[in-house]
Amino acid sequence: MRLNKYYLAAFSAFFVWGFFSLALKPLHDYPSLDILFYRVFFSVVTMLLINLSFRKKVLKKDWNHFKSLAPKQQRSVVVLTLGGGVFLSSNWFVFIYVMNHISVKAASLAYLICPILTTIFAFFILKEKLSKWQWFAVMISAFSCVLLSFNHFEDIFYSLITAATYAMYLVSQRKNSELDKFLVLTIQLVFTALILLPFYPNYSGTLPTESLFYSCLLVIVVCFTIIPLFLNLYALKGINSSAVGIMIYINPIIGFLLAIFYYHEQVTTLQLFSYFLILVSIVVFNEKLIFSRKLKEAPSEMEALK
């Protein structure tokens, strides 16, 4: 049961992110960097208010816990937390660059490549073990990504950079378990804001005045930044980076369905087949959880029949 709640948290995070376009599309006339700046700054203000208003006991408890750690452990917490902030801000920066200067397809492809890189990084860095079925799922995923990038090989390089930054964020936070996850996320976003702050005067546009901008931004900050990022970090407490990474596919799959049925974009047979393979890879990767759960539920069903 405990394991399932971590899977549910990871699933919920990427399920929510799949609908990001619904809040982002209305802001297509605004510069992408402005959306990034205000997304980060507003997130920081919101999270600081929540922490200082409702979570003072948690802050005090975590601070005392941090002081009680050995110096080596303290350094590890600081490095992992701030390092996660660097990976997160780098991911957002690169994603904006790829969207604006390379192609939307390259940006979308990044989050199809990301689970593969997460699995590989977790295997070599964290020594997370994978079964033969899970490696087979990775191979299926890799093959589907190759199909999706067909005739767009130059996009792969930029997609790899975007994917690698988020994959490293996931892997680095797997070991960052000493402090409360909401506090860790707050520190990371504050650190990200400090990185972005020097760029704001020179690269931001005029201050937006339309209510549409701020209403959409509020939805983006709460529903598509704070909540899913927290769920993501929470999931990493109970399941490994590879399992969380493979669920990233939920995000582009939902985006793909929105593109077909909501935005009425054209899709090819090859794309449909590739996304079907991705669904297969998710089932194969998690086959142990799916089938073991069925086996556990079977006896209770038999008892009910008696």
Side-chain angles (χ1 to χ4, degrees), residues 220-286:
I220 289 171
V221 166
V222 176
C223 299
F224 296 107
T225 302
I226 295 174
I227 292 175
L229 278 175
F230 171 70
L231 289 171
N232 205 348
L233 289 175
Y234 178 77
L236 287 166
K237 288 176 62 178
I239 55 178
N240 63 36
S241 306
S242 303
V244 174
I246 208 74
M247 290 194 190
I248 292 176
Y249 285 133
I250 296 165
N251 180 344
I253 286 171
I254 292 173
F256 184 72
L257 292 174
L258 283 174
I260 299 172
F261 298 108
Y262 187 77
Y263 296 112
H264 304 293
E265 295 181 3
Q266 291 185 344
V267 294
T268 64
T269 304
L270 182 63
Q271 288 174 321
L272 286 170
F273 178 66
S274 300
Y275 274 86
F276 172 74
L277 286 180
I278 289 169
L279 284 171
V280 171
S281 72
I282 294 172
V283 174
V284 172
F285 191 92
N286 294 286

Side-chain angles (χ1 to χ4, degrees), residues 32 38 53 126 208 269 306:
S32 298
Y38 291 111
S53 301
L126 301 180
T269 304
K306 290 179 181 179

